[in-house]
């Protein structure tokens, strides 16, 4: 087999694994790297060259700086001040989406969602609308905003690195801003005027004004309790038994329960109300601390709670907070709570004093859905962090310093001045993205060196020969967008960047126009909940189904592709 064919087969296998969702994306990238090593497409000396790529360091440093801004409370303060309080729903939604897009231009778009999602829920609640009317539009807005600057998303930095390797110089900090802003404005207008109206309002979920379903455990007190009688009591209390356990083993089909048997229960009511009605017991006291309230949160990607048990919330909050109930994943798996581990996207019901919840939500990176206490703003610390951030951007724009050097310097200075808690410095980095980047860079290079990229670019160029520039750019954007549905946008950028430059050279069009079309396409998966982490994070809290994303996202995709093609044609035609 020729090297080009081997490279294409490996890339196809990688795509299949990515799509299957059965293997972690970072592990898939390493498997692809190993396959390239075994077939000789990547030399052993180059296997870990990706870890030395400046784009990887830039991504890590930007995540640290963005986390410092997030924890300072400055971004949340701006969001709360800018969005009008007494305005009509449409105007408040517009203000929210603009703020979300602006924040995501200069910080991780997940962090932008973390900061603004509680405000979105509050806007929906005060307008007596479903949270679905605000959450998906906000997720899309934060994705759109990431297209407008060099640091808006890791894919932008990767494409800048591709440009430097192939054309000699990287993108400027604001090179993508004209097309990114044009696309973002068109997208925000659509989301504010039309998009949210296309989302269905369903009954039987938290979106219909009723309390959301919650899952928790109750214990049997009676020495001998008839199973039929127990189910009748639960039905009368508005609850349903999902599973039952004796010691550590599940029990099913028994006629009588005995003392200390545990029941996994789902209900719209809290466990103390159900326990009082049924004669069962809750292990969680309602008044373990004074002035306690309960808040529903979603666990964001990058949360330090991921992989830990629910008791870790109590440990990390100095016994002030605890998980009192959980969301629908446990209802599906029907396991004891002690055996469960927290995953990204999980919903938790956390109870504790209001003074503790806001700070904990920020440090643990959980998104408050039903209540919002803004993170206290330390004005001196926030001013210092923002000054360092602005200086890094000034060094990139004014002095031509590379993003890797500028933001690494900013991250080091923030750490040295203790403007970010030491334990947050390494937690703020999404290591799965770093590993994915570092492993895929040699794989992408092998796709180019083997000639497979040139063959694909020639085929694409021959297909597009003779077509107007706007159609060529729309096609490049669309191909990238389709690929991003199945791949992480970073992997998409690694594969499509060199291919776009080769296709541009074949067609005698501007390589920058082709790269920017790829940049927009790589971050434009508005069709599925799995295409971007922000889409997945709002799926549970918004009560969305898989098809809802295409319902609202398909017109947005058409608008984004058309706007990209027209804007780039005007700029580079």
């Amino acid at each position: 087999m020729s090297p080009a064919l081997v490279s294409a087969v490996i890339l196809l296998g990688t795509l299949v694994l990515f799509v299957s969702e059965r293997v972690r994306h970072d592990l898939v990238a390493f498997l692809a790297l190993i396959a390239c090593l075994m077939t000789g497409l990547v030399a052993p000396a180059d296997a870990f060259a990706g870890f030395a790529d400046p784009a990887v360091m830039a991504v890590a440093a930007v995540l640290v700086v963005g986390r410092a801004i997030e924890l300072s409370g400055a971004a949340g303060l701006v969001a709360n001040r800018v969005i009008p309080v007494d305005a009509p729903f449409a105007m408040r939604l517009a203000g929210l989406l603009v703020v979300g897009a602006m924040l995501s231009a200069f910080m991780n778009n997940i962090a932008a969602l973390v900061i603004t999602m509680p405000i979105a829920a509050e806007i929906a609640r005060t307008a007596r609308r479903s949270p679905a009317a605000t959450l998906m539009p906000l997720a899309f807005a934060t994705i759109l905003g990431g297209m407008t600057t060099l640091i808006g998303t890791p894919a932008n930095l990767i494409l800048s690195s591709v440009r430097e390797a192939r054309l000699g110089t990287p993108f400027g900090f604001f090179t993508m801003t004209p097309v990114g802003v044009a696309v973002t404005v068109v997208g925000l207008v659509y989301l504010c005027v039309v998009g949210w109206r296309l989302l269905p309002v369903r009954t039987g979920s938290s979106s219909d004004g009723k309390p959301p379903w919650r899952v928790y455990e109750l214990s049997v007190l009676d020495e001998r309790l008839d199973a039929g009688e127990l189910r009748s009591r639960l039905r009368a209390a508005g609850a349903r038994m999902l599973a039952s356990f004796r010691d550590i083993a599940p029990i099913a089909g028994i006629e009588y329960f005995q003392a200390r048997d545990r029941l996994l229960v789902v209900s719209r009511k809290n466990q103390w109300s159900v326990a009082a009605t049924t004669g069962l017991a809750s292990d969680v006291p309602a008044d373990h601390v004074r002035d306690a309230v309960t808040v529903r949160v979603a666990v964001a990607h990058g949360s330090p709670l991921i992989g830990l048990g629910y008791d870790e919330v109590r440990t990390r909050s100095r016994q002030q907070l605890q998980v009192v109930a959980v969301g629908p994943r446990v209802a599906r798996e029907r396991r004891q709570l002690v055996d469960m581990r927290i995953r990204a996207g999980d919903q938790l019901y956390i109870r504790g004093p209001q003074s503790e919840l806001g700070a904990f939500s920020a440090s643990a990176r959980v998104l408050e859905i039903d209540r919002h206490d803004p993170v206290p703003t330390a004005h001196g610390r926030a001013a210092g962090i923002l000054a360092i951030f602005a200086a890094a951007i000034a060094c990139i724009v004014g002095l031509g310093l590379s993003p890797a050097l500028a933001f690494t310097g900013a991250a080091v200075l923030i750490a040295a001045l203790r403007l970010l808690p030491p334990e947050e410095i390494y937690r703020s980095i999404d290591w799965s993205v770093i590993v994915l980047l570092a492993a895929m860079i040699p794989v992408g290079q092998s796709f180019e060196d083997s000639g497979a990229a040139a063959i694909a670019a020639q085929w694409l160029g021959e297909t597009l020969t003779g077509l107007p520039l706007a159609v060529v750019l729309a096609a490049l954007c669309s191909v990238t967008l389709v690929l991003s549905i199945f791949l992480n946008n970073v992997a998409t950028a690694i594969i499509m960047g060199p291919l776009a430059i080769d296709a541009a050279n074949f067609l005698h069009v501007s390589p920058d126009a082709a790269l920017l079309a790829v940049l927009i396409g790589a971050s434009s998966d508005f069709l599925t909940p799995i295409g971007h982490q922000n889409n997945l994070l709002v799926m549970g809290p918004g009560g969305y189904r898989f098809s809802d994303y295409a319902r609202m996202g398909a017109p947005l995709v058409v608008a984004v592709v058309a706007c990209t093609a027209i804007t780039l044609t005007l700029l580079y035609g």
Side-chain angles (χ1 to χ4, degrees):
M1 294 174 67
S2 67
L5 183 57
V6 172
S7 178
V9 169
I10 291 174
L11 195 62
L12 181 61
T14 303
L15 175 61
V16 170
L17 285 176
F18 273 129
V19 173
S20 72
E21 295 285 328
R22 294 180 179 274
V23 184
R24 287 170 52 103
H25 283 187
D26 48 350
L27 180 55
V28 171
F30 256 120
L31 291 173
L33 177 58
I34 291 171
C36 289
L37 280 168
M38 294 177 64
T39 55
L41 293 175
V42 173
D46 298 328
F48 300 114
F51 287 96
D53 193 290
V56 175
M57 195 66 197
V59 170
V62 166
L63 291 173
V64 172
V65 177
R67 182 64 167 157
I69 295 173
E70 178 188 349
L71 289 180
S72 74
L77 181 65
V78 170
N80 280 284
R81 294 282 178 86
V82 170
I83 300 171
V85 177
D86 300 323
F89 172 76
M91 187 175 296
R92 295 191 74 194
L93 177 62
L96 171 72
L97 300 191
V98 169
V99 168
M102 290 179 62
L103 290 177
S104 66
F106 297 99
M107 63 193 305
N108 183 285
N109 44 26
I110 296 176
L113 182 64
V114 168
I115 291 166
T116 51
M117 186 172 168
I119 306 173
E122 177 65 21
I123 289 173
R125 187 162 51 248
T126 55
R128 296 185 179 182
R129 295 181 184 273
S130 161
T134 57
L135 293 182
M136 190 186 296
L138 176 61
F140 286 3
T142 56
I143 296 172
L144 288 167
M147 305 174 184
T148 58
T149 67
L150 180 64
I151 63 171
T153 179
N156 298 1
L157 288 163
I158 287 297
L159 290 169
S160 178
S161 180
V162 169
R163 188 188 192 280
E164 183 176 18
R166 297 292 299 273
L167 304 179
T169 56
F171 280 137
F173 192 86
F174 295 110
T175 301
M176 62 287 302
T177 300
V179 63
V181 168
V183 168
T184 300
V185 169
V186 168
L188 293 183
V189 170
Y190 163 76
L191 292 172
C192 293
V193 177
V194 179
W196 67 271
R197 302 176 191 275
L198 300 179
L199 292 167
V201 177
R202 297 188 178 94
T203 59
S205 68
S206 60
S207 62
D208 58 8
K210 298 179 182 178
W213 294 99
R214 59 181 72 184
V215 180
Y216 44 80
E217 288 183 355
L218 296 175
S219 298
V220 176
L221 293 176
D222 300 350
E223 290 296 334
R224 184 178 173 87
L225 178 60
D226 181 78
E229 169 65 18
L230 176 58
R231 290 187 175 86
S232 297
R233 291 185 191 179
L234 288 171
R235 281 195 299 270
R240 181 167 62 89
M241 183 171 61
L242 298 172
S244 55
F245 306 91
R246 182 168 295 162
D247 296 325
I248 61 172
I251 52 177
I254 60 173
E255 296 183 6
Y256 294 94
F257 289 94
Q258 63 187 39
R260 292 184 297 278
D261 284 350
R262 304 180 67 80
L263 312 175
L264 189 67
V265 172
V266 60
S267 176
R268 293 187 187 274
K269 300 178 180 179
N270 64 54
Q271 57 261 63
W272 307 290
S273 173
V274 173
T277 304
T278 59
L280 300 172
S282 169
D283 292 341
V284 180
D287 55 353
H288 80 287
V289 294
R290 297 180 59 185
D291 304 320
V293 297
T294 301
V295 57
R296 181 166 58 119
V297 305
V299 179
H301 289 261
S303 169
L305 298 177
I306 294 173
L308 303 176
Y310 299 129
D311 284 345
E312 188 66 19
V313 171
R314 181 192 284 263
T315 302
R316 289 176 179 264
S317 64
R318 305 179 308 281
Q319 311 300 314
Q320 295 296 300
L321 306 175
Q322 62 180 338
V323 175
V324 297
V326 291
R329 181 169 69 90
V330 178
R332 294 192 297 270
E333 297 191 13
R334 304 195 178 198
R335 295 163 57 193
Q336 292 189 95
L337 298 186
V338 71
D339 295 331
M340 299 294 294
R341 292 294 177 266
I342 297 172
R343 296 181 188 172
D346 279 356
Q347 294 183 43
L348 310 177
Y349 293 78
I350 300 178
R351 185 169 178 80
Q354 295 188 23
S355 58
E356 296 285 336
L357 282 165
F360 177 81
S361 296
S363 64
R365 188 161 278 188
V366 295
L367 295 76
E368 297 191 16
I369 302 168
D370 292 336
R371 188 201 61 87
H372 180 50
D373 289 329
V375 179
T377 304
H379 294 282
R381 186 173 67 180
I385 292 170
L386 292 177
I388 293 171
F389 180 62
I393 295 176
C395 288
I396 296 171
V397 176
L399 303 179
L401 202 64
S402 74
L405 287 176
F407 282 105
T408 298
V412 169
L413 191 56
I414 286 171
L417 296 175
R418 293 187 174 274
L419 297 175
L420 182 66
E423 65 273 11
E424 288 293 334
I425 294 172
Y426 286 104
R427 274 188 204 155
S428 60
I429 300 173
D430 189 341
W431 293 104
S432 65
V433 171
I434 299 301
V435 170
L436 173 69
L437 269 172
M440 282 300 295
I441 285 173
V443 175
Q445 187 63 44
S446 72
F447 185 64
E448 182 179 353
D449 293 343
S450 68
I455 294 171
Q458 181 177 356
W459 173 82
L460 186 61
E462 291 174 350
T463 304
L464 300 176
T465 296
L467 296 176
L469 177 59
V471 177
V472 170
L473 295 174
L476 283 173
C477 185
S478 299
V479 169
T480 307
L481 194 154
V482 170
L483 193 59
S484 73
I485 295 175
F486 306 107
L487 290 178
N488 179 286
N489 64 346
V490 169
T492 300
I494 291 171
I495 294 168
M496 286 298 299
L499 192 151
I501 293 177
D502 289 341
N505 291 334
F506 186 89
L507 294 166
H508 305 291
V509 302
S510 168
D512 278 347
L515 279 176
L516 291 175
V518 167
L519 184 148
I520 300 297
S523 296
S524 297
D525 180 14
F526 305 111
L527 299 175
T528 70
I530 60 174
H532 194 281
Q533 294 170 333
N534 284 14
N535 290 353
L536 187 60
L537 280 175
V538 300
M539 187 175 187
Y544 301 120
R545 296 175 183 169
F546 200 98
S547 59
D548 293 339
Y549 289 83
R551 181 196 295 257
M552 191 177 83
L556 178 58
V557 164
V558 173
V560 164
V561 171
C563 182
T564 299
I566 293 170
T567 304
L568 291 177
T569 299
L570 293 175
L571 291 173
Y572 295 96

